[in-house]
């Protein structure tokens, strides 16, 4: 199964790479597929490649759902 996740761009290094915040972890990602990217944009990330920009509100809602799923899984694991 493949998973693409929303991440926030926190620093642009050059035309092909940027730093993204992934749940508090900062990782270098490839942004070569996206034009006009600026710091603060949210992108869909798959295997290290930013595929396209997404709406910030939708990105935050998705990340909140992932966090809730993680909390639910932790509760299940504890029981």
């Amino acid at each position: 199964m493949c998973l693409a996740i929303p991440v926030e761009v926190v620093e642009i290094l050059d035309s092909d790479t940027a730093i993204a915040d992934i749940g508090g972890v900062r990782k270098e990602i490839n942004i070569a597929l996206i034009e006009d990217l600026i710091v603060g944009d949210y992108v869909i990330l798959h295997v290290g490649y930013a595929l396209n920009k997404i709406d910030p509100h939708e990105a935050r809602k998705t990340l909140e759902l992932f966090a809730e799923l993680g909390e639910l899984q932790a509760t299940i694991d504890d029981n």
Side-chain angles (χ1 to χ4, degrees):
M1 177 174 88
C2 296
L3 179 65
I5 58 171
V7 300
E8 181 180 9
V9 175
V10 296
E11 182 180 351
I12 296 177
L13 302 175
D14 58 42
S15 63
D16 289 338
T17 56
I19 302 293
D21 183 293
I22 305 169
V25 175
R26 291 182 177 220
K27 176 176 174 47
E28 189 172 310
I29 64 171
N30 186 297
I31 58 169
L33 300 174
I34 301 177
E35 294 180 10
D36 303 323
L37 191 67
I38 61 170
V39 170
D41 281 344
Y42 282 83
V43 298
I44 291 292
L45 183 71
H46 179 65
V47 294
Y49 289 85
L51 301 178
N52 60 331
K53 289 189 207 181
I54 59 172
D55 176 74
H57 177 71
E58 291 300 318
R60 287 189 285 275
K61 282 180 24 182
T62 301
L63 292 171
E64 288 171 5
L65 287 172
F66 284 157
E68 288 177 22
L69 287 171
E71 291 171 12
L72 177 61
Q73 186 62 51
T75 302
I76 292 169
D77 292 344
D78 289 343
N79 292 324

